Amino acid sequence: MLLGEQDQFLSYNGEVLVFQLSKQKHAEEAVDKTMNLCVRRMVFNRDTKLFVQKSSGAFSMGASHSEIEMICCSCATDSRTGIILPCILMKKKKRNSIKYFLLLLHSSNQFEPSFYFQLEYELKEDIRLFAGPSLLWRHANKLFYISSNTCVVQSAPVHLSCVVWTGEIVGEGTVVLGIRTACLPETEGPDGFSVSDRAIWGSEFFGYAIQSQKFLSGTCFMPHAYSRVVSSVHVCRSERLRKQLQISLVAITHKNQLVWFQNGAPKGVCELPYEKPCSVTPALTSSRDLLFAVSFASGNSCVVQRRDSLQVASKWQKVKCVLVDDFIGSGSEQLLLLFKDDSNTDVLSTFKITDLGEVNYASGINYKHDVPAAEGLQENGLLTVRALETRLQAGWTSVRELQQHLGLQKRVILESCRALIDLVEERTHILPNSKEVKCWRWARSLLNSAKPFEGLVSLWDDVENPPDSLSKATSASEVPEHFTEELWQRVVGDSLVVGVKLTESFYLSLSDVSLSLVMDQDFSSISPIIKCQSKIIKLNKAFSALAVSPSQIEPPPKKMKFDWHSKNDLRKEFPKRTSRIQLDGAKTVTAVTSLSPLLAFHRVCCVVLLHARKQNHQNDGLQRSKKITVLCGKILLSLEDISNGRYSIKMLRDNSYCTGSMEDILAVLAVSVRFSFQIVSCDCTLTPVSSWLLGEMECTPFKECQDNIFCHKAGNVHGTIFNWALKNPFEGVLTVFCRNLTVLFQCLHSLTRVLPPGCNVKLLRSGSKAALTEQLALALEKEMLTLKNSLFLKDTKAGNSLTWGSESGKKINNAPLASLLDTEEGVQQFRKKLQKEREESLQSMNQTLNGALYQKTALKIAEAQLSSDMIVWRLT
């Protein structure tokens, strides 16, 4: 094996791939030759502080009368599977023909030919690999490209002098950023371009989207004046905000500068230490610092750090290659510098791994004696930083609490000053309302209990309400004065949705919550009670929702608690406690009823009643519940308002968002049925699901909860809400809120056409395991209490209550046993009393109940058992 002169290095998933060409001759004068493309996967060993070979592979190519050469290598997305794979472009020159072919490297170290093409010229200018995989190059100021999907060389309708960047832009796909000659008018008017203007504006930036074949304005990247000096660009971030493309990028210039641009305007500049910069690569370190590694044509490199300003943080000479990846497995990126070393022929023999912070490994250093000290120092440094961060957060919390206390004290002093002024001026002082008094009493307790204010005198009387009066006041007010935040109504299709938003403090003391609608008019021929279905829905920015229907017997998915996103937080969703499940945020109780029967009255007024069980904690540690019914308010419904669309939901598109209000979203959820599907793909990523939602289904995210999207596609599927949560690139959960099963089947039929082959789609039974476990514990407790109470039932004329032992007035004489047994009469008396107790005990064990009481008891036991059985069914 004779190693070729050229080597190619590529970082991939924390590994360093080393590509080498080797020649092998079968005989000394043999004409046929075989060329092998070898790859070595090298990983960094943190114990030995050296790179070791993990695995290797080879690809054989016939090289008879031809020259084979590696052109470039990069990582690109395979459009068939959505997986990012290493790829390498090869050139095979044979007399007058030049053949190029692209190879993909799989995890098994097997090479796969992707496509090949022939040209009459050699590729030399602006060669770029991108997703597909696809290849792009420039020749004779024209742009050419080829992809694995077409395998045909295509020409873009653009003339350009340079390609400075190729990559993905949000909403545009693959975009080529280039420089071309500016299109200027041939004749100059009185306000025409001067000679200096032509020198500056002779060239301009432009963007070209390959998939859509449309041009993008270069001013959103950087001003045209930089087009004459910029040599390379890297786009760090791209997004669309109000239909405007927002771009953040860094560029290097022929003037040996690095310039930071945001939305087309320069925001910072840094002078580079060497001449002729040729490429720039960003890196995000463990300390959240953004670094830019700049390579120069002379073989030198430097790192520019972006904090308050751009500044050169470090520089090196005789650098062969600079790679960026997580080489040590810490979860953040580091720089790997491979240095030129003529004395050592082994690859990766002279290197340096650093993030300009805690990570710093270099070859040629003996770590045997100082490894424990170095690792201990690094670990101590991390622990110190974390401790300081914790102390900082605790200090900030204390500062906020002190600010709140100072604000309360200030209000106390101001109100006391007002009272004193009114007293001096003989005016009647208006007392504050109950909320302010409660707040000030708390502030007064803080003032009286705080040691720094021991010399202050309380401004109110120190006589508190005695415990008796306090308990009476508490028992008199079962429901707070303001327990609802909002009462609203919406019309969704043929359904009327009425919602009541409860305060959090009031909701946490309730269970079995439901709404009922009662018509306010006097209709003698019909019942005033309107049949409706109640649900409890909790909706916040993380789109956590809870839907409960107490009136149903079977356990459909919409009755269960569920939470996803977010990005909002399952670990905090169900904390450990002894009471019922507690969720953050206010809760909304909804009632859904049919609209058409109400429209027959043309104009109807309904009273909204809230039914619930209020939980009270007793001294014995048990919970006692009491049924309550509360008036929430009234709603007025008329055919004229419905015809005018007053209560209709409004889901419109506005700058790539859906403008539905929180009440509109809740109304759609109330009339929808929820289904969750687990989608698992073994061989391909699930990228097509997002494309299907945003493309074919025409979905846009809600402004209120952007993790969930609303379907605007015309037809039956319009109004469906989706949530797509990826656990990893190969597994995700798709949640569908739809009106009926027909819409669900249409969505699934459309989805199966875009899913990769071999995908496994499974219907999930909704509900958090922790929440259902706690519900099961509460249901079993209720079942146990119901069974216990049923054992103490006795049918008596007094009131169907049980009396154990003798009735009132027939008590056993508790005389001493010795005195009864002294005489024969006493023994007989004791024997009669004992026989009577035995008869009463046997009678109490053979209790009889009438039919109505037995039916009521059996129904309670059956309901309790059914409730626990349903929760067990959900858990299994």
Side-chain angles (χ1 to χ4, degrees), residues 46-85:
R46 298 188 67 174
D47 295 331
T48 61
K49 308 298 185 293
L50 296 174
F51 278 94
V52 295
Q53 180 173 317
K54 177 183 177 182
S55 59
S56 63
F59 181 75
S60 299
M61 298 168 286
S64 178
H65 304 290
S66 61
E67 298 178 1
I68 297 180
E69 181 183 351
M70 291 186 291
I71 302 300
C72 64
C73 60
S74 181
C75 294
T77 303
D78 187 356
S79 60
R80 300 169 301 176
T81 62
I83 302 176
I84 298 177
L85 294 176

Side-chain angles (χ1 to χ4, degrees), residues 313-423:
S314 185
K315 57 184 178 179
W316 304 274
Q317 295 181 347
K318 296 182 179 181
V319 178
K320 179 165 52 175
C321 181
V322 179
L323 301 177
V324 175
D325 211 323
D326 183 12
F327 299 102
I328 66 174
S330 63
S332 58
E333 294 179 333
Q334 306 95 38
L335 301 177
L336 172 61
L337 294 97
L338 303 179
F339 296 96
K340 298 176 182 178
D341 188 1
D342 298 334
S343 61
N344 197 334
T345 58
D346 189 16
V347 295
L348 300 178
S349 59
T350 309
F351 65 89
K352 183 180 181 65
I353 299 177
T354 182
D355 64 352
L356 301 185
E358 302 167 352
V359 180
N360 191 12
Y361 297 104
S363 60
I365 298 178
N366 189 359
Y367 290 94
K368 292 183 179 180
H369 301 290
D370 58 345
V371 163
E375 289 185 352
L377 182 60
Q378 184 173 354
E379 184 178 359
N380 290 337
L382 291 174
L383 295 176
T384 303
V385 171
R386 292 172 184 171
L388 290 175
E389 290 178 351
T390 305
R391 290 183 60 185
L392 182 62
Q393 293 176 357
W396 174 241
T397 303
S398 301
V399 169
R400 284 185 298 182
E401 291 177 354
L402 288 175
Q403 288 177 346
Q404 294 176 357
H405 294 172
L406 290 175
L408 289 173
Q409 295 171 12
K410 183 178 180 180
R411 277 193 269 175
V412 169
I413 295 174
L414 288 177
E415 186 63 27
S416 302
C417 292
R418 295 192 187 101
L420 181 60
I421 294 174
D422 292 339
L423 180 63

Side-chain angles (χ1 to χ4, degrees), residues 182-198:
C183 300
L184 300 176
E186 297 181 358
T187 59
E188 295 182 357
D191 297 329
F193 294 98
S194 63
V195 177
S196 60
D197 290 335
R198 285 188 176 274

